[in-house]
Amino acid sequence: MTPDGPARTLPGHTSPGHTEPGHTSRGHTSPGHTSHGHTSPADALRALHAVRAGGAPLIVPGPWDAASARVFEEAGFPTLATPSAGIAASLGYEDGETPAAEMFAAVARIARAVSVPVTADLEDGYGLAPEELVERALETGAAGVNLEDGRRSGGLKDPREQADRLAAVRAEAGSGLFVNARVDTYVRGVDDVSAAVERARLYAEAGADCVYPIMAPAAHLPLLRAEIDVPVNVLAVPGGPSFAELGRLGATRITFGHGLLLRTLKGVAGLAGELARELP
């Protein structure tokens, strides 16, 4: 449900193969802690959001499989975020139709393939109780989860019910998962910025580490930033503002949905065309 994202010059780009301080192996001893007292992947992910040099936003590519995840890590990106639509496409499903077991398995393959923290897009949580959702997310090795408030059948969930669900996820996970709460007002046709602010505030109060008003117009970002006390995730869109401009407007974190996969598929289509021209 998310559009393609543009290529930009990366502010704050790290060296290839960079591993964030405190990032450890994927085994969890307890939520928020790793063996030997090291910082957990979730806390390392929080640290990446907390300090953005010169206001430069955190650029978070969206891998759809283990191979693409390794390419992004080798390019120097310090964290990744799986796009549910991208994984769905890679597995042969329409967006929103991937069975939960296949989504968790795909996330696990990606998390195992890299050493940087991975946020897993788990859509609306697949109807799982918070305890099972957290358990299965941690089993994949993900450092964080992205949970949306749009209904699969259309429309939006009640914001207080969604806040209660996020609070239950936070209570179950402790600090062991970075929680990115997606606000679907804009993609569901509600263009009133106050509606997005209301939901974002409730989700932050419920324990979300970051909020994601997906498809928020650039003109709304300064108000969203001013009214929300946690980091704000913004979707990069084709022809939209540069990363630096999005940062100035209020973005803390920039993601791409399945846009990077769509761009890759264009390249594959071109290659396919070249091969086809050689057919007898």
Side-chain angles (χ1 to χ4, degrees):
M1 293 186 293
T2 53
D4 189 5
R8 304 290 188 197
T9 300
L10 173 65
H13 186 70
T14 56
S15 59
H18 176 71
T19 301
E20 283 304 304
H23 186 77
T24 60
S25 64
R26 292 295 173 181
H28 291 269
T29 54
S30 63
H33 297 85
T34 56
S35 59
H36 310 300
H38 292 301
T39 302
S40 72
D43 282 338
L45 186 52
R46 290 186 185 95
L48 286 172
H49 291 75
V51 180
R52 304 307 309 153
L58 180 64
I59 312 303
V60 188
W64 52 93
D65 59 15
S68 58
R70 285 176 172 158
V71 169
F72 291 130
E73 181 185 28
E74 288 167 3
F77 292 94
T79 185
L80 305 173
T82 67
S84 61
I87 288 179
S90 75
L91 296 176
Y93 293 103
E94 294 297 320
D95 185 18
E97 295 184 2
T98 308
E102 292 198 46
M103 185 64 75
F104 283 113
V107 170
R109 288 191 292 271
I110 290 169
R112 283 198 305 267
V114 296
S115 63
V116 298
V118 174
T119 301
D121 181 353
L122 299 181
E123 304 183 279
D124 63 355
Y126 307 109
L128 299 174
E131 296 81 2
E132 184 178 0
L133 180 62
V134 169
E135 179 182 10
R136 293 179 72 174
L138 289 173
E139 285 174 351
T140 68
V145 293
N146 186 91
L147 296 171
E148 62 197 54
D149 63 1
R151 296 186 183 278
R152 291 193 175 213
S153 58
L156 293 159
K157 297 178 182 179
D158 178 86
R160 295 194 179 277
E161 290 180 3
Q162 179 71 356
D164 288 344
R165 180 167 171 78
L166 291 170
V169 168
R170 170 57 67 218
E172 183 65 26
S175 62
L177 285 174
F178 181 95
V179 177
N180 190 31
R182 200 176 97 171
V183 177
D184 280 7
T185 50
Y186 292 105
V187 295
R188 300 295 182 175
V190 181
D191 295 327
D192 183 357
V193 67
S194 65
V197 168
E198 177 190 7
R199 287 174 177 267
R201 283 177 167 175
L202 284 171
Y203 303 162
E205 290 168 2
D209 295 286
C210 183
V211 295
Y212 181 15
I214 186 171
M215 292 300 293
H220 288 189
L221 295 181
L223 182 58
L224 289 166
R225 174 69 279 163
E227 297 292 331
I228 299 169
D229 292 333
V230 296
V232 175
N233 189 157
V234 172
L235 179 72
V237 297
S242 68
F243 295 157
E245 179 61 17
L246 288 173
R248 285 192 291 270
L249 290 171
T252 311
R253 161 185 170 124
I254 295 174
T255 53
F256 302 85
H258 66 317
L260 301 179
L261 170 61
L262 295 179
R263 293 185 61 190
T264 301
L265 291 177
K266 289 180 181 178
V268 173
L271 175 59
E274 291 179 15
L275 296 174
R277 287 191 289 273
E278 298 295 325
L279 291 174

